[in-house]
Amino acid sequence: MRLRALLETDALGLRLLGGEDELDRPVRGVMTTDLRDPSRYLSGGELVLTGLAWRRDAADSEPFVRILAGAGVSGLAAGEAELGDIPGDLVEACARHRLPLFAVHETVAFATITEHVVRQVSGERAGDLAAVVDRHRRLMTSGPAGGGPEVVLDLLGSDLDLHAWVLSPTGRQIAGAGGTPLPGPVGAALAGHHLAATRTGRRAPHRAVVDGATYSLFPIRNTGRGAQPASGDVRESVLSDWLLAVEADAGDWPPARLDLLQGVTQLIAVERDRRDAARTVRRRLAQEVLELVQTGAPPAEIAARLRVAAPVLLPGLGSAPHWQVVVARVEWGGAQERPGAGTPAGPDHTVAGGPVAQALLEEILVDPAVTGPDSADRIAVAHTGEEAVALVPLPALPAAQDAGPDAAHDGAPADPALHADALLATVREPLAAGLADDGRLTLGVSAAVHSPEGLRGALEEARHARRVAAARPGRVCAAGHHELASHVLLLPFVPDDVRRAFTARLLDPLRDYDRRHRAELIPTLEAFLDCDGSWTRCASRLHLHVNTLRYRVGRIEQLTGRDLARLEDKLDFFLALRMS
């Protein structure tokens, strides 16, 4: 709106004292102040309202007006309630600095002027941007992407003076306006706020304060025509949805502006759905390779499928010299896996963990330093049952690959291999917020392999590493192949029938006895081995009398015909538990 429109509104009681030639200045906001120096709160384009409490004598007017003019305000309105007539020194100072000056009648409250300006400015901006958004919606839904999310964010900046960013559920920046990136720790903190608020069922937008700045967080979810039906359980989508972070407090926004921001999220959601569709090819390739590996297909057949997958995941290389396997599992219901147990005790099966783990793994495997929605092109993730499996191609590995993530130095090439701790370094906190108190993510990373023959072993190795992670406390845990003991590295290569026979011969008698008598012989055996055969430490861990522990161990030996005082028998039991 223009200053002239304010003067022409009789209900506002404004009288022009100077600056008639400047009445076409736009008004972008309003601020009331009696500070001698309000510059820190001004951004330009405001109508400043003042009761003149800052003025002690005539000399105060010049510096006050100079500060306002320097800040780029549109005009000054001074109230007559305190001093009656507006002082001449203020009129003269405004004339020198070409700042329009209005007198506000004593019967008119500043709140009346503020409400009028805010209503007019918000309505005009919302109407203008709504028209632009409508055009952009038609552009995005009727053909190629219309410039991506950045275009919409630029509109928010130019039309509503709002700084906004699109973030992934881990806080990685997908898009931003004006080339101003959001610092990584800030993005992670905002994602954590958003996920925690969503899990508690709070209505969006969510308000968050990070490093002294206030943000409003909007979920990006497609609810328009052609959208997938919304799930009744927020856990199925909370860890995969993008969010829109706006640097503003939306708590006092009028409904029209909130509706407008919801429309913006719809535009971005359409683009999100389009780019998700591009992952279908990579997911299908991963699923085909995984099925071949799990069914024991000939290496030549697996190699042929990898030759098809490599150009899609590593454009320009033709084939991948090395591959790594990453396995992830998301479980709901607060169930914790016990070391050596194949499945968690009593999990909540109402939410399928496989698809959630698949979407999470696709996000986690993206380099956190890379921005943009298309940075996951080399990630191929399948899901089977409750776990997700990623096949990650590596272009090359340095000679010292086994030396770990810090092997590269003195100009040596950086190790491109994935490392478990590094994968979770920047995403642990936001994901823990999304998992809340009833979810858990565990992840295992294999060593790199350079042939199809090694993929089956790499898959088993990653699964073993994930089970190691599951034995640890915490909502988000990972383990890598470096953390597996040497005997565990051999287990993936033991044939399945041999494993089943070995574990059944040793453990089935104990499991049967536990089912009939609830004697807890298996947990006792695990604890006894973990305590290196120490009677006192094991009894203390299990909160048992030593005599009770001796009775249980004696029962284990009687049922299996083994002697837990012998190293060979201890090792057999240890391996049987690891393979079960």
Side-chain angles (χ1 to χ4, degrees):
M1 67 179 302
R2 308 289 174 175
L3 286 174
R4 191 180 304 279
L6 294 175
L7 189 63
E8 295 170 353
T9 304
D10 295 337
L12 300 183
L14 297 179
R15 180 164 51 90
L16 183 64
L17 300 181
E20 184 174 359
D21 295 336
E22 305 292 331
L23 289 180
D24 286 328
R25 289 186 178 187
V27 179
R28 296 188 175 91
V30 62
M31 191 190 81
T32 300
T33 184
D34 278 312
L35 295 173
R36 296 168 67 88
D37 180 5
S39 58
R40 73 182 67 180
Y41 305 108
L42 298 170
S43 59
E46 298 93 342
L47 172 67
V48 175
L49 307 178
T50 180
L52 300 177
W54 51 266
R55 183 184 179 277
R56 298 189 182 92
D57 54 47
D60 292 333
S61 293
E62 169 62 27
F64 180 80
V65 173
R66 185 172 62 249
I67 288 171
L68 297 187
V73 303
S74 295
L76 174 65
E80 295 178 329
E82 187 71 23
L83 301 179
D85 292 337
I86 305 302
D89 48 271
L90 181 59
V91 177
E92 294 171 3
C94 287
R96 282 194 296 273
H97 291 279
R98 301 180 63 83
L99 182 66
L101 175 64
F102 302 89
V104 182
H105 195 272
E106 62 182 5
T107 61
V108 178
F110 282 175
T112 301
I113 300 174
T114 300
E115 181 180 356
H116 178 83
V117 172
V118 170
R119 186 167 58 248
Q120 294 296 317
V121 170
S122 296
E124 291 174 5
R125 287 180 178 171
D128 291 344
L129 185 56
V132 178
V133 167
D134 186 61
R135 291 196 299 271
H136 197 69
R137 179 184 288 112
R138 291 196 298 270
L139 180 64
M140 291 181 70
T141 57
S142 62
E150 290 82 0
V151 174
V152 185
L153 301 185
D154 285 337
L155 293 176
L156 287 178
S158 61
D159 287 62
L160 288 182
D161 297 326
L162 293 176
H163 299 291
W165 299 265
V166 178
L167 304 177
S168 77
T170 65
R172 182 177 60 88
Q173 181 174 317
I174 303 294
T180 305
L182 194 66
V186 175
L190 292 176
H193 279 289
H194 174 73
L195 291 173
T198 302
R199 286 303 314 276
T200 58
R202 283 163 45 198
R203 188 178 180 85
H206 309 305
R207 183 178 182 274
V209 179
V210 178
D211 291 348
T214 301
Y215 299 85
S216 296
L217 310 175
F218 298 81
I220 294 175
R221 199 172 298 128
N222 190 359
T223 58
R225 182 181 300 175
Q228 294 294 324
S231 168
D233 195 322
V234 70
R235 295 177 296 179
E236 292 186 3
S237 60
V238 66
L239 294 174
S240 58
D241 286 342
W242 288 356
L243 66 133
L244 177 68
V246 181
E247 191 175 1
D249 189 345
D252 298 326
W253 283 4
R257 179 174 284 204
L258 287 173
D259 289 344
L260 181 62
L261 265 293
Q262 294 296 341
V264 168
T265 64
Q266 283 290 291
L267 288 181
I268 300 172
V270 171
E271 185 69 5
R272 165 71 190 269
D273 290 347
R274 177 181 287 117
R275 292 177 178 182
D276 274 353
R279 291 185 174 182
T280 303
V281 174
R282 298 193 298 276
R283 286 179 170 181
R284 186 169 62 247
L285 287 171
Q287 198 75 40
E288 291 173 356
V289 174
L290 177 62
E291 290 174 1
L292 291 174
V293 170
Q294 291 192 135
T295 56
E301 187 176 352
I302 299 175
R305 179 52 54 187
L306 289 178
R307 283 194 294 273
V308 174
V312 177
L313 303 177
L314 285 177
L317 286 185
S319 63
H322 298 85
W323 295 85
Q324 262 183 295
V325 176
V326 183
V327 172
R329 185 174 181 131
V330 173
E331 294 161 319
W332 301 104
Q336 299 277 333
E337 275 191 81
R338 292 181 292 105
T343 58
D348 181 353
H349 290 290
T350 59
V351 179
V356 177
Q358 181 181 41
L360 258 186
L361 200 48
E362 287 172 335
E363 170 61 26
I364 290 172
L365 292 175
V366 177
D367 185 345
V370 176
T371 61
D374 295 322
S375 53
D377 286 345
R378 59 188 286 256
I379 309 303
V381 184
H383 75 82
T384 173
E386 294 299 304
E387 72 178 10
V389 179
L391 300 173
V392 182
L394 303 175
L397 289 173
Q401 185 260 338
D402 289 333
D406 300 321
H409 57 82
D410 297 332
D415 182 358
L418 301 174
H419 298 272
D421 290 339
L423 285 177
L424 297 182
T426 61
V427 303
R428 192 184 304 273
E429 291 187 13
L431 291 185
L435 292 164
D437 58 355
D438 64 343
R440 193 159 192 252
L441 167 67
T442 52
L443 184 145
V445 182
S446 79
V449 296
H450 65 277
S451 67
E453 292 88 342
L455 276 180
R456 181 174 177 82
L459 175 60
E460 291 299 317
E461 187 176 73
R463 284 173 169 161
H464 277 301
R466 193 204 62 78
R467 285 195 284 269
V468 169
R472 297 171 176 169
R475 289 289 166 194
V476 182
C477 298
H481 65 97
H482 292 292
E483 301 176 62
L484 301 181
S486 59
H487 65 274
V488 178
L489 293 177
L490 299 176
L491 297 183
F493 303 100
V494 178
D496 289 341
D497 54 345
V498 175
R499 289 192 201 197
R500 285 191 293 268
F502 182 74
T503 58
R505 187 166 57 252
L506 279 176
L507 301 183
D508 280 1
L510 305 182
R511 290 171 177 151
D512 292 341
Y513 191 87
D514 280 348
R515 275 195 296 269
R516 294 196 308 271
H517 303 284
R518 298 183 180 180
E520 299 187 1
L521 296 185
I522 291 289
T524 300
L525 176 61
E526 291 173 341
F528 186 73
L529 296 175
D530 195 45
C531 293
D532 299 323
S534 169
W535 296 99
T536 54
R537 282 195 292 125
C538 183
S540 176
R541 174 180 295 189
L542 296 175
H543 305 290
L544 298 175
H545 192 278
V546 172
N547 289 342
T548 303
L549 176 61
R550 290 184 184 277
Y551 172 80
R552 288 187 182 180
V553 170
R555 179 63 67 183
I556 291 171
E557 293 175 335
Q558 179 185 7
L559 290 170
T560 60
R562 299 299 186 104
D563 182 359
L564 278 169
R566 298 179 67 248
L567 176 61
E568 293 85 350
D569 288 340
K570 285 181 183 177
L571 181 58
D572 283 347
F573 277 122
F574 184 81
L575 292 174
L577 289 169
R578 282 293 181 268
M579 288 191 293
S580 64

